[in-house]
Each structure stands twice: as structure tokens, then as C-alpha cells.
Amino acid sequence: MHQQGSLMPPLLGDVFCQCRSAETHPGVDPGGGGGGHAGDPSSASTSKPVTRQPVSGDWGSDPGQSAHPCDICGGPEQEHRLKVLFQVLDVNGDGGICVNDLTIGLKKLGVHRTEHELMKIVKAGDKDLDGQLDFEEFVHYLRDHEKKLRLVFKSLDKKNDGRIDSQEIMQSLRDLGVNISEEQAEKILKSMDKNGTMTIDWNEWRDYHLLHPAGNIPEIILYWKHSTIFDVGESLLVPDEFTVEEKKTGMWWRHLVAGAGAGAVSRTCTAPLDRLKVLMQVHASKSNSMHIAGGFSQMIQEGGMRSLWRGNGINVIKIAPESAIKFMAYEQIKRIIGSNQETLGMAERLVAGSLAGAIAQSSIYPMEVLKTRLALRKTGQYSGILDCAKHIFQKEGVAAFYKGYIPNMLGIIPYAGIDLAVYETLKNSWLQRYATDSADPGVFVLLACGTTSSTCGQLSSYPLALVRTRMQAQATLEEGPQMSMTGLFKHIIRTEGPMGLYRGLAPNFMKVIPSVSISYVVYEYLKITLGVQSK
């Protein structure tokens, strides 16, 4: 559902009834412009006079009525209505719609959109990046947009009768944290209601909102949370969006608490694999081949079963401060970049998310170093977290707590970027193909998308993660000098080859599916316990 302000312009459905002029001026171009040219959809309307049948409600009329809609506006030939709309908006008749065309064309029709909104429309549909929409791009954008609008319509239609009334508008806006009176709801309703029934059917809804940019609708935000739900041991994901309702009712912090609890359980269950990964990243080489079974055997022989969980305590403790700092930083950065939208576009999310991740990682990075040192420690080396921190400070100084900081920061961009891009691609693909009545993908689709995107993100940034871990651990290794990031990269490639940058990848991937599955199950359980409302 769009903000209340977006519901006020005159009905866009009138665009499709421009052929009213054809009743008195047969054969006149409904676009009001010059003659069409070969291959231009605008030439279609000049081929024959249009005979208009009298209808109630025009393009948005009830399908059950006996009257027949006009040949161009409301017939089953969707291509016709799209051609008419295209030629109306293609002000200069050059076969492409740019921001200027949209500004002039929509203004003539009494529809007012900001320049920012029009730029978003062109940017969303402009596949060949030439700054305008040709007819094919225009059609593709509108059809994709209609699918999103249908999802919104379905979510608003609480009675499931194919129509939206004022009570349903009030309830839906209330769900989004916007309280309005019945009089205001009726005013919104009248602005879209073409046939005076005081209800809005699908056609009226579509006509009205067709050229209004829509990002993630609240239903999609609600069902497709990613970083809050899935914990794979790395905290480089872009934070989730929350609806206005979730922010106003305090549901957002319950989601974060549920996510943190799920992450704690998930990390604890997969801690042995995580410790094995760290050992393989630091100690495995061509001369010291370490396999999964051998690695576990080595850990148990050295310190018993409990040693499998070394480093897990600090790994769990750092979830809460990192999640809280990242969420707060993300919200502040959204304000700084000047977005007044409820949700951000993918590029904006990547920038805001990466910056928020960098701020959070910078704040808790000493805990990352402690986690690596504790995972690598021998039996009896440290009595606990504070003892480990004390030893590092005394022997190596404060700078030791930021070893590996640069590769860690550099790893945020490929990890977050690829994870976000893959997840959004999979999400949008599912929404386009399978979302008809609801944006809810179901458990298995959500888990599959989350697992795939996280795996791709980890794979892309893994060499940087390995170099970070080795830099954190360098002081514990007796052999070899202390090396810089570039020095380590060169050393690994020279001595072990490119595959040396992927040591420990097997146990890392082995823990992805159990991590995602456990965190999702625990998250759902904690949501119920904390009273998080689900639609």
C-alpha cells in the first residue's frame, strides 16, 4: 500500500479512455501528437475510426456487466491499451519515453508525480541503459508492476470478495502504522472509484496506481526477511527492512532479539565445524594436509570433546552488540542519504548496508580477533576470554586487536553485494512466477534462497576472510615473519597456489545448511515466544 499522499491524483484509468475523443473525431490520434511512423506503436490508432460502446466505469468496469468495453480501452487485447498509453506518454513521438516525456504526458492527464518518482520508473524499466523506455521496455515494466499491484490488492482485500471498501483501507493503513478516520478513507476511496459504487475493484486499483513506482510492498518485506533470520556464522549481510508498523509497535526489536537468539543456538550447534575451518585456514598447507576427519581427531586428542567449542563463547556474545549497532547505523545512514521512501532500492541498500556493516565490524572487531585466538589456543593456554585479551594486550599492544582489519572491511562489499543481489534475484524470480495470492514463499523456498545467496556471498569473499584469519593468528605462529595483507596473498599463491586461498572451505560449506535450518526453526519459535505478530 502506498503512502496516503500517493492516493490523491486523478484516476490514471482515464488515460485508457482517451479514445472518447474518437466518438466525435474518428481517426484522430489519441496521443494528440503528430502522425505515426513505421514500427511505432502510435501508428496503430490511426488505422481505423474507433467506435465506442457506452459503458459504466470504462476501463475499470465490472467484468460481470453486460456492456462491452471499447476496442482500445478495456478489451481483452492488453496490447492495445498499452499502445495507447505509450503513444500518449511519448510526447515527442520518437518511440521512447524519457523522464521529460513522462513529466509532460502525465501532467496533461492530470497525474502528478515527483521527478524522483519518474526517474525511478525509467530506471526500473530501462534495460539497455539509454535513458528512456522503448515500447518493449515499457510493456515489460508495466506487466511486472501489475504483478506487484495485484499482490498489494490481494493483501488489502481482507474479505476476499474482489473489492476494497473504506473499512478495508482503514484496516490496511492501520497495519502499516497509519491511522486515518473513516471520512479520510472514503476520500481516498472516491479518488479511485470510477463507477460510484464506493468500492474499488482490481481494474480501478490497477488504473490508478499503474504509473507509480513501487519497491518492496510491506507484504514482501514481512515474508522475505533474510539477515534477521539466517545466521551462517558471518555477520556481513545487509540488514533487513522493517515496515512502518513493525517500527511503531516495537516489533522490530523483537525480530532482532529472535534473530540474535537463533544465531546463538545456530552458532553453538555448528561451532565444531567453525573451529575446524579456522584451524584449516591457519595451519593447513601443501606440506601439512589437514582433512575433516583428521582435524576433528586432532582436536579431540589435544583437548577432549569440549575443545570442539573453543572460541564459541565470544562468537555468541558478539551477536547482540553487532546486530544492534548495525541496525541503528543502517537506519541513520538511510536518513543521511536522503531517502524518504519506506524501503530502499537495491543499490541504496547495498551502500547503506555495507557502511552499517563496516561501522558494526569496526566496533566489535577486537572480539573477532579474540574469537580466532581462542579457537586456536592449546589446552591451558588461557583461562578465559578476559585472560586472552590481557595476554594479547601485554605482549602485542592495542594494535594487535585490529590485525586483519583491512581484509575484513574489504570483504564486506563482495559478500554483502553478491548475497543481496542473488537473494533479490531469486526473490523477484519467485514473485514473478509463483506469487498470485500472497507474497509468502513458504519455508522451503525461503531456506533455499537464503542458503544459495549466503553461499555465493561467502564464496566471493572467502580469500579475504582467510587472509584476515591468518593475520589475526600470525603472532601465535612461531615460524615466519609478520606479513601485510598483500604480502600474505603473494606468499599463499606462491607457496600453495590459488587453491591455498580456499583452505577450510569444505567445513565452512558443511555448516551452511544446518546453520540456516537451525536458525530459522529457532527464530520462528522465539517469534512466538516474544509475541511477534505474523500475518
Side-chain angles (χ1 to χ4, degrees):
M1 183 76 185
H2 299 297
Q3 298 291 332
Q4 184 182 341
S6 72
L7 298 174
M8 292 300 118
L11 190 64
L12 185 59
D14 290 341
V15 170
F16 302 103
C17 291
Q18 287 292 313
C19 57
R20 282 174 180 157
S21 60
E23 293 176 346
T24 52
H25 304 288
V28 172
D29 179 359
H37 44 71
D40 187 346
S42 63
S43 60
S45 63
T46 60
S47 58
K48 64 185 180 73
V50 178
T51 306
R52 191 182 196 285
Q53 303 292 336
V55 263
S56 170
D58 294 314
W59 196 58
S61 60
D62 192 328
Q65 291 174 342
S66 59
H68 299 288
C70 73
D71 292 340
I72 288 180
C73 297
E77 298 295 328
Q78 189 188 40
E79 199 83 1
H80 283 308
R81 66 181 176 84
L82 293 176
K83 281 179 181 177
V84 170
L85 182 55
F86 184 87
Q87 70 184 36
V88 168
L89 297 176
D90 182 16
V91 176
N92 56 11
D94 64 353
I97 298 174
C98 61
V99 173
N100 189 51
D101 285 337
L102 281 176
T103 304
I104 297 168
L106 289 176
K107 204 168 281 185
K108 283 181 180 175
L109 298 164
V111 178
H112 300 282
R113 299 280 181 256
T114 66
E115 187 178 354
H116 178 69
E117 288 173 333
L118 298 179
M119 285 172 69
K120 282 181 77 173
I121 290 172
V122 174
K123 188 177 177 183
D126 185 16
K127 302 299 180 188
D128 58 8
L129 304 178
D130 63 351
Q132 61 180 8
L133 305 179
D134 59 30
F135 184 62
E136 188 179 336
E137 290 170 333
F138 181 71
V139 169
H140 185 272
Y141 168 78
L142 286 189
R143 285 181 177 160
D144 179 51
H145 192 60
E146 277 194 25
K147 287 176 184 175
K148 290 179 182 174
L149 291 178
R150 186 171 283 280
L151 284 176
V152 183
F153 184 83
K154 292 272 188 183
S155 70
L156 296 180
D157 184 15
K158 307 289 185 188
K159 298 174 188 171
N160 202 28
D161 60 357
R163 293 181 172 278
I164 300 169
D165 58 28
S166 59
Q167 291 299 316
E168 288 170 316
I169 288 177
M170 288 174 68
Q171 179 60 47
S172 298
L173 285 172
R174 199 156 43 237
D175 289 345
L176 297 177
V178 180
N179 291 307
I180 61 169
S181 66
E182 188 167 359
E183 186 182 346
Q184 288 173 308
E186 286 177 358
K187 190 176 179 183
I188 293 170
L189 194 72
K190 283 176 184 175
S191 70
M192 289 182 274
D193 180 26
K194 285 185 72 176
N195 51 19
T197 59
M198 287 305 288
T199 59
I200 309 160
D201 62 19
W202 157 242
N203 287 327
E204 290 170 322
W205 171 264
R206 175 193 57 194
D207 294 356
Y208 192 87
H209 289 290
L210 202 58
L211 278 173
H212 193 289
N216 284 330
I217 60 170
E219 289 283 305
I220 296 174
I221 299 171
L222 207 60
Y223 291 122
W224 287 85
K225 284 191 177 15
H226 177 31
S227 65
T228 312
I229 296 175
F230 302 124
D231 190 295
V232 291
E234 300 284 348
S235 303
L236 305 181
L237 302 181
V238 173
D240 280 318
E241 297 284 319
F242 290 97
T243 64
V244 173
E245 181 200 11
E246 287 173 325
K247 289 175 185 173
K248 284 197 171 183
T249 58
M251 286 296 154
W252 64 271
W253 70 260
R254 290 184 173 93
H255 277 288
L256 291 180
V257 170
V265 174
S266 168
R267 291 185 187 194
T268 302
C269 291
T270 59
L273 283 166
D274 192 62
R275 187 181 178 218
L276 178 61
K277 177 193 78 173
V278 173
L279 287 172
M280 290 176 77
Q281 284 179 331
V282 175
H283 295 301
S285 63
K286 276 188 175 179
S287 58
N288 179 28
S289 182
M290 186 184 288
H291 300 292
I292 292 169
F296 277 126
S297 175
Q298 203 175 309
M299 286 190 287
I300 292 168
Q301 283 175 10
E302 193 275 328
M305 287 295 290
R306 283 188 65 185
S307 70
L308 297 176
W309 275 268
R310 280 180 189 165
N312 181 59
I314 190 77
N315 198 30
V316 168
I317 290 169
K318 72 186 178 70
I319 293 173
E322 184 171 14
S323 299
I325 292 166
K326 185 156 65 171
F327 175 74
M328 289 187 289
Y330 184 66
E331 290 299 312
Q332 289 302 316
I333 291 164
K334 276 169 66 174
R335 291 191 184 96
I336 291 168
I337 63 178
S339 175
N340 57 359
Q341 303 296 313
E342 184 181 328
T343 59
L344 300 181
M346 199 166 81
E348 292 168 314
R349 281 197 68 199
L350 175 58
V351 171
S354 297
L355 288 172
I359 292 167
Q361 284 279 300
S362 299
S363 305
I364 59 93
Y365 192 76
M367 299 173 86
E368 293 279 0
V369 174
L370 284 171
K371 178 214 158 193
T372 299
R373 294 291 182 90
L374 287 164
L376 292 169
R377 82 181 190 269
K378 291 181 171 63
T379 302
Q381 187 175 355
Y382 306 120
S383 61
I385 296 169
L386 291 177
D387 186 48
C388 178
K390 183 181 168 186
H391 271 76
I392 293 171
F393 179 71
Q394 288 175 345
K395 288 187 177 181
E396 303 168 57
V398 177
F401 290 103
Y402 280 88
K403 282 185 176 175
Y405 177 78
I406 293 173
N408 187 68
M409 291 298 110
L410 293 175
I412 289 173
I413 297 170
Y415 188 111
I418 289 174
D419 173 77
L420 182 63
V422 172
Y423 191 74
E424 289 294 311
T425 300
L426 293 173
K427 179 182 86 174
N428 289 330
S429 178
W430 185 90
L431 287 169
Q432 284 185 22
R433 292 187 182 186
Y434 305 109
T436 51
D437 296 329
S438 170
D440 186 359
V443 177
F444 293 111
V445 173
L446 201 62
L447 290 179
C449 291
T451 303
T452 304
S453 63
S454 296
T455 302
C456 292
Q458 283 191 332
L459 191 60
S460 67
S461 65
Y462 195 83
L464 285 162
L466 181 137
V467 168
R468 173 202 68 192
T469 304
R470 286 214 183 171
M471 290 179 74
Q472 290 171 342
Q474 275 185 129
T476 66
L477 303 174
E478 293 172 6
E479 74 281 355
Q482 302 287 301
M483 284 185 274
S484 65
M485 180 181 76
T486 52
L488 254 178
F489 265 115
K490 288 175 183 175
H491 175 74
I492 292 168
I493 290 171
R494 187 175 64 251
T495 58
E496 304 175 46
M499 289 307 294
L501 294 170
Y502 290 90
R503 301 280 181 197
L505 190 64
N508 184 67
F509 279 175
M510 282 173 66
K511 73 186 180 76
V512 169
I513 292 176
S515 291
V516 167
S517 305
I518 293 165
S519 60
Y520 182 81
V521 170
V522 176
Y523 176 79
E524 288 298 308
Y525 176 77
L526 288 175
K527 264 174 59 180
I528 295 166
T529 306
L530 292 167
V532 175
Q533 296 167 358
S534 295
K535 285 207 171 190

